[in-house]
Amino acid sequence: MIEPLLLIGVLVAVFVGYNIGGATTGVSFGPAVGAQVLSKLGAAALMSIFFFIGGWFIGPAVVETLGEGIIEEEGLLTLETGIAVLFFIGLALFLGNLFGVPASTSMTAVGAIAGLGLATGTLNWATMGEIVSWWIVAPIIAFWISGVIGRYFYTRINEWVAISRRDTSLWTVDRSSTIPKVGVAEGTDRREITGSLIVVGIGCYMAFSSGASNVANAVAPLVGAGALEFDDGVLATFSNMEWGVIIAGIAVTIGAFTIARRTLETMGNDITNLPLTAAVVVMTVSATIVSLLSAIGIPVQLVIVATMSIVGLGWGRATRTTTVSDAVRGEGDATVSVGALTAEEEGEAAPAIGEERREDIPKASDLFDPSTTARVILIQNFVPVLATIGAFLTFRFVPIFGF
C-alpha cells in the first residue's frame, strides 16, 4: 500500500509534469505543426517518446543536483519538505499561466530548494554558484553561436533547406485499409520533404533535451527524499531514480496529449514572423546547450537560452550589411535587428556580406513588441525569486517542518 502522504507527493509531481508537457510540446513541435508537416497527435506522441528517452539517459544527473547537490545536509529533504518544494514549483507554473508567460520551472525548482537550504543554513554555496554562473553564461554562448551562424551560414542554410509554411499538409494518409498508408501530397517536391524531415527531427531533439533538463523539475524533491524507494513487491522492480523518471514521463505524456494543443496552436500558427529556417537554427543551438549542461547536472531554462539564440541570430543576420574591415575602420554601421531574420524567402540566395542594403532588413519591432518582451523577462525572473522567498519563509517560520 502507498502511504497517503506519498500519494499526495506523487499527485503534485504529476501536476508539475503535466504542465511541463503542455508547455514544452509547443516549443518543440510548434514549427512542425504550423508548417503542416506534423499533426498535433503526432507531435504529442513524439514528445512523449523523446522526453522519456532524454529523461532516462541524461535526466538523472540533473535530478541528483536538485535532490542532493544544493543542500549539504543529508536527510533534510524529506517527503514533507519535498511536497512543499513541489508546491512552490506548481505555484510558479500557475502564476506564469495566469500572466500568460511560461514560468522558468528549472530556475523555480532551484530557487525553492535553495529557500530550504537558506532557512536551515545548509545551502551548498559552491553548487549554487556553479548553477547561477551557467545561467548567465549559457544565454551568452547561445547568443554568440547564433550570431556567427546568422552572419556567415544562415543564408546558405536558408537556400539549401527551403523550409516553408504551407496551408495544406505535405503528406496524405489513406485510412481505407487496416494499416494506414502515408504518402506525399501533390505538389510536394524533394526539398520540401527534406525540410520537413529536418523540422521533425529537430523537434525530437528538442523533446529529448527537454526530458534531460525538465524531468528533475517534476520529481527531484521526491527522489532526493528517497520517497520512491520500495523494498518488496512489484514496486521494487525499479529504483528510486527510475520511478522518478517514469512518473515524470507519464505526467508529461498526459500534458502533451491534452493542454499542449493550445501551445501547439500558439507556437505553430500565431507566431508567424520567425521563419522555419531560423526556428531550426534556434532549436538546434538551444537544445545542444541544454543537453550538454544537463549531462553535467546543471538545470537550465530552455526558453531563456532560446530567446537569446533568436536575438543572436537576428543580430548576426543584421551585421551582414557591413564587412569586418569596414566596421574596424568605422565606415560601416549595422542595425542590430531581430527582424532581420525575415529578410529572405525560404530557398532564396542572399547577397554577399557588405552588399546587402539596410532598407532590405526589417526593424526589430516587426518581429516582437519590446514592451511585451520586457514584461516576459521580468516575470520569468520574478517568479523564481518569489518561490525562493516563499520557501525560505515557509521552512523558517512554519512549525510543522520542525526546523
Side-chain angles (χ1 to χ4, degrees):
M1 291 292 292
I2 299 179
E3 299 179 1
L5 188 59
L6 175 57
L7 181 60
I8 293 174
V10 171
L11 290 176
V12 176
V14 168
F15 171 74
V16 174
Y18 172 79
N19 281 277
I20 291 173
T24 56
T25 303
V27 176
S28 300
F29 292 100
V33 172
Q36 300 292 331
V37 172
L38 192 65
S39 67
K40 293 178 181 179
L41 186 64
L46 291 176
M47 180 69 195
S48 304
I49 294 170
F50 285 93
F51 182 95
F52 183 80
I53 293 174
W56 187 268
F57 289 102
I58 299 182
V62 184
V63 174
E64 289 181 2
T65 298
L66 290 181
E68 303 174 8
I70 296 178
I71 298 177
E72 294 179 326
E73 184 177 330
E74 293 185 8
L76 191 62
L77 190 60
T78 63
L79 179 56
E80 292 82 359
T81 55
I83 293 174
V85 168
L86 285 171
F87 167 78
F88 286 110
I89 299 174
L91 180 62
L93 291 171
F94 173 77
L95 291 176
N97 291 331
L98 186 64
F99 287 100
V101 177
S104 174
T105 51
S106 295
M107 296 173 66
T108 303
V110 171
I113 297 175
L116 171 61
L118 288 171
T120 57
T122 59
L123 181 64
N124 188 330
W125 289 99
T127 300
M128 278 299 300
E130 183 180 7
I131 292 173
V132 173
S133 297
W134 277 113
W135 283 353
I136 298 173
V137 172
I140 296 175
I141 294 175
F143 174 88
W144 282 108
I145 291 177
S146 300
V148 171
I149 293 175
R151 178 175 172 86
Y152 296 105
F153 304 105
Y154 179 76
T155 54
R156 296 181 185 178
I157 297 173
N158 195 56
E159 182 180 1
W160 172 63
V161 176
I163 309 172
S164 59
R165 299 179 186 271
R166 292 166 54 110
D167 295 328
T168 59
S169 177
L170 292 171
W171 313 95
T172 59
V173 180
D174 183 5
R175 296 185 174 87
S176 58
S177 58
T178 305
I179 301 176
K181 297 180 181 180
V182 180
V184 178
E186 184 178 355
T188 302
D189 57 31
R190 182 177 298 178
R191 297 182 70 185
E192 286 184 311
I193 295 175
T194 301
S196 67
L197 294 177
I198 291 174
V199 171
V200 174
I202 297 301
C204 294
Y205 184 32
M206 285 281 286
F208 175 89
S209 174
S210 177
S213 177
N214 284 319
V215 70
N217 299 327
V219 297
L222 295 182
V223 174
L228 303 175
E229 190 73 55
F230 303 99
D231 297 328
D232 53 17
V234 179
L235 296 178
T237 305
F238 299 103
S239 67
N240 181 46
M241 180 70 74
E242 290 171 343
W243 270 120
V245 175
I246 291 171
I247 290 172
I250 293 174
V252 166
T253 298
I254 297 173
F257 277 95
T258 53
I259 58 173
R261 291 180 173 273
R262 296 184 61 182
T263 57
L264 283 168
E265 185 69 25
T266 299
M267 298 299 295
N269 297 321
D270 294 348
I271 301 177
T272 57
N273 285 329
L274 187 63
L276 288 177
T277 307
V280 167
V281 174
V282 169
M283 293 163 69
T284 303
V285 172
S286 304
T288 299
I289 292 175
V290 171
S291 295
L292 291 176
L293 290 179
S294 298
I296 62 174
I298 303 297
V300 63
Q301 181 61 21
L302 178 63
V303 173
I304 295 176
V305 175
T307 299
M308 289 305 298
S309 178
I310 292 173
V311 175
L313 189 61
W315 176 83
R317 173 63 188 84
T319 61
R320 286 178 59 85
T321 59
T322 307
T323 62
V324 174
S325 58
D326 287 341
V328 171
R329 292 193 299 268
E331 298 177 1
D333 183 18
T335 302
V336 180
S337 170
V338 180
L341 295 176
T342 64
E344 305 97 5
E345 295 294 331
E346 289 83 357
E348 177 184 340
I353 294 176
E355 297 180 4
E356 294 194 56
R357 300 175 300 174
R358 184 187 301 272
E359 54 267 26
D360 291 335
I361 300 180
K363 298 179 181 179
S365 57
D366 294 336
L367 185 62
F368 67 91
D369 182 0
S371 62
T372 301
T373 303
R375 180 177 65 87
V376 170
I377 294 175
L378 177 63
I379 295 175
Q380 282 274 0
N381 288 276
F382 173 73
V383 170
V385 172
L386 183 64
T388 304
I389 296 174
F392 170 77
L393 295 176
T394 300
F395 292 124
R396 183 68 179 272
F397 298 109
V398 175
I400 62 173
F401 295 104
F403 298 138

